[in-house]
Amino acid sequence: MAEGGRIRASCALLRNLVLAGLTYALIFGIIQVLQSPSGTVKGKLGIPAFLDKSGPADIIKTTKAGVKVKFATTSNLVTINPHANVFNRPKSAVQPKDDYMGPRPHVDTEADLKMLVEECRGTYNGIEKMRNVFDCLEFLSDGSDRYYTLPDQPYRASAQDPRKAEYASADNQNNTLSAYPSHSESATANKTTIGTCPGPIVPYHVYWTGPATWRVEVFIKSYLYTQNLACSRLWLWLDSDRHPNAVDKMLHSDPLFARFLPFVERGDIVLQSWKFPNHIPVPKSEDAANKNTNIEYYKSPGKPNSKGETAVADGIIEDQDGQQWLVLTPKQMTFLPQAVSDAVRFVVLHLHGGAYFDMDVLMLRDMRPLLLPKEHSFAERWAAHQHPGDYNTAVMSLTANSSLSSYLLRGGVRMGLNFHPRVIGRMAWKDGRDKEFLMLETAAFDPIWTEFNWDREGRCTVPCLRDYSAAFKGKAASAKDEWESYDGPQLEQIDAEQLGTVTETRSEDLKPRSLDTGIRNAGGRIYRRTTSDPEGKRSDGAEVATPPGGHEPSSSSSSHGASGSEAPDPDSFSTTSAEEAELRSQGVIAEYIIEEDKYPPNNRTLENFFRGAWTYHVHNQWSKHPEPSSWMNVLEVAHNGFFAGERTNPYGEMWEGPSLMPYNYWPEFV
């Protein structure tokens, strides 16, 4: 028995030695093959697994997921699928209509703000229409002939005296001209000059803290894409209380904002240093004598101080010229980001007039008609809350140095510099001043807020998005039932040949089809323009959406939006034409195959992105990046095409301004 065990052990040892030798020989052979130039292993995608570095883009290796590439502007490797990537993906599966808004409104056009309120709200107490966002958007889109008017010549904004204008430097000469330039003397913006406005120039205000990110870029581009540039100015207020060199850094050391420096030079963008003022001018007491104000003036003012200033009320002084000032002490000032953001809008609008926008608000239409009426103080409703004091101030306008702006300003100061819109709004309602501060419904500026809170009545909006992250999603399944309320005609579909190389089956699927067939994407789902049949039945051919959590955005995150960013966006990158040419020559950018694409082209176009709304509120979403083919990417593509001189804006205008770099790429979506 013992001798048999020794024999078995010897056999096992011999077997192991033989296997070890074979394994060593195999490994050595593989190494020799890899080291031989003629034995280079081909990757799964048919590209050599290791290439010499040649050209500006370094091709590192191929993997199962794609080809790893190092671009000059990235710190990390980027994985590219040669058959479906941002370089060869068709921009859309349908032909977009860029000039869907028609000609831009006349420079003196005014909106009937009260009509906008009543058509979308109903009666003041009943608010019968408030939750029906679809009907409101339809009115805003199709009813401009009712709510837009061009006043008779003597009453137009352009016919008024610039020296009496409420807007700061409305004539671009510090309000010193006796008349605005005539229409024959006016000029549109071009590559070198911002042009001449035949009327008052309206300031647009936005607040930011920290370095520029994608949020700053997309906001500025949406402004340049939609507004009458000769007749507006974008004032970017940078927090200099916490960052004393904020303006200097933005001008000289911010790589993303550098692309906008020509617009600073041309005058489109004005960088302003935000510091809490210790003296804020307010109208004289007699100007507000017949108003229900929150200022209780002293019956017997005190004696003038050494500067000739007299205390006329708590926190109010009057100088030797009769100008009254709201005085803030250092103890009253706040430097908490959200509180600063809430306060900035009330201070700058009181001082300079115009409109304020949170940085996460994207412009879709020309705002000018809303800002020209004599009474143009307004904000938005907080979701579908019924209380008449529940405002949201992500978009807001106030008449400068007015009784109302002074009232709201002093109210916030007296409440400990609390300018939260619902706090300020309820104060105004309690004092009977809310009707001076018009409340526009959410459809105008934030069309899915009612949907998000499960308060919507009637049909869903177009597109039917049920949470704020949906606008950033571009995968095949992301469309869900977003076309359920669409009644318009099917957009012209792009021929299969323009979509790249696809299989015969897919090629047939992508050809123009009848109205009830639509476009089939790589996932096999059909997305189509929906119609109503004679019996009123709807067809959308899309998946049923998974209901999101039906809750309200918190006041600290998604309510009216912090205007700053806690940290810069993660690394994005751009490419040069030489880099793209190198990738094509190496086969890294190959023929497009739709089955390979996680983000296939679809039928989303900006024409049907909440048409009628003036803005779309992203509601922060600071960490989100727009996936290819998402609604946000559709906006990016429209911007890129416009600034490249290849497409028009919604008003059919071609870009004639300075060159502007396209959006960078996000590595995770390449």
Side-chain angles (χ1 to χ4, degrees), residues 484-505:
E484 69 176 47
S485 292
Y486 183 78
D487 291 328
Q490 183 185 24
L491 259 66
E492 178 185 353
Q493 298 176 16
I494 295 176
D495 290 337
E497 291 77 8
Q498 296 177 265
L499 286 174
T501 304
V502 294
T503 63
E504 285 188 11
T505 304

Side-chain angles (χ1 to χ4, degrees), residues 386-514:
Q386 299 183 21
H387 196 285
D390 281 349
Y391 289 90
N392 176 43
T393 55
V395 178
M396 180 171 69
S397 175
L398 288 174
T399 299
N401 198 34
S402 63
S403 172
L404 178 63
S405 67
S406 302
Y407 162 80
L408 297 173
L409 190 60
R410 188 164 190 267
V413 172
R414 294 185 67 188
M415 288 186 290
L417 226 64
N418 187 346
F419 285 95
H420 190 283
R422 295 176 69 191
V423 173
I424 291 290
R426 294 206 174 208
M427 175 195 74
W429 168 77
K430 183 179 179 181
D431 291 340
R433 304 203 64 176
D434 55 304
K435 292 185 180 179
E436 299 174 53
F437 193 26
L438 292 178
M439 180 185 286
L440 274 67
E441 299 303 330
T442 58
F445 306 122
D446 191 357
I448 73 166
W449 200 353
T450 303
E451 184 74 33
F452 182 85
N453 281 270
W454 294 90
D455 289 323
R456 185 253 301 173
E457 294 178 354
R459 293 163 62 178
C460 192
T461 57
V462 179
C464 184
L465 305 184
R466 291 186 166 88
D467 68 82
Y468 288 103
S469 66
F472 289 82
K473 296 177 180 178
K475 290 185 178 179
S478 63
K480 298 182 180 179
D481 56 350
E482 66 183 18
W483 296 108
E484 69 176 47
S485 292
Y486 183 78
D487 291 328
Q490 183 185 24
L491 259 66
E492 178 185 353
Q493 298 176 16
I494 295 176
D495 290 337
E497 291 77 8
Q498 296 177 265
L499 286 174
T501 304
V502 294
T503 63
E504 285 188 11
T505 304
R506 293 303 179 207
S507 179
E508 285 300 314
D509 289 335
L510 287 165
K511 287 181 179 177
R513 289 174 173 266
S514 61

Side-chain angles (χ1 to χ4, degrees), residues 543-564:
E543 296 180 326
V544 177
T546 303
H551 61 279
E552 176 184 355
S554 67
S555 61
S556 62
S557 59
S558 300
S559 60
H560 53 296
S563 298

Side-chain angles (χ1 to χ4, degrees), residues 105-170:
H106 186 280
V107 69
D108 283 321
T109 297
E110 296 183 9
D112 187 334
L113 297 178
K114 290 187 178 180
M115 180 186 294
L116 295 179
V117 170
E118 293 168 358
E119 284 291 331
C120 293
R121 180 196 64 196
T123 61
Y124 183 81
N125 294 319
I127 53 175
E128 301 90 347
K129 305 176 182 179
M130 183 255 293
R131 290 186 172 88
N132 197 322
V133 183
F134 177 90
D135 284 354
C136 180
L137 279 175
E138 194 169 56
F139 168 70
L140 298 180
S141 175
D142 302 334
S144 60
D145 58 335
R146 291 179 55 198
Y147 61 77
Y148 275 172
T149 59
L150 184 60
D152 292 337
Q153 184 64 43
Y155 303 104
R156 295 180 183 181
S158 61
Q160 308 311 306
D161 188 342
R163 293 167 294 187
K164 299 179 181 179
E166 64 153 301
Y167 297 125
S169 197

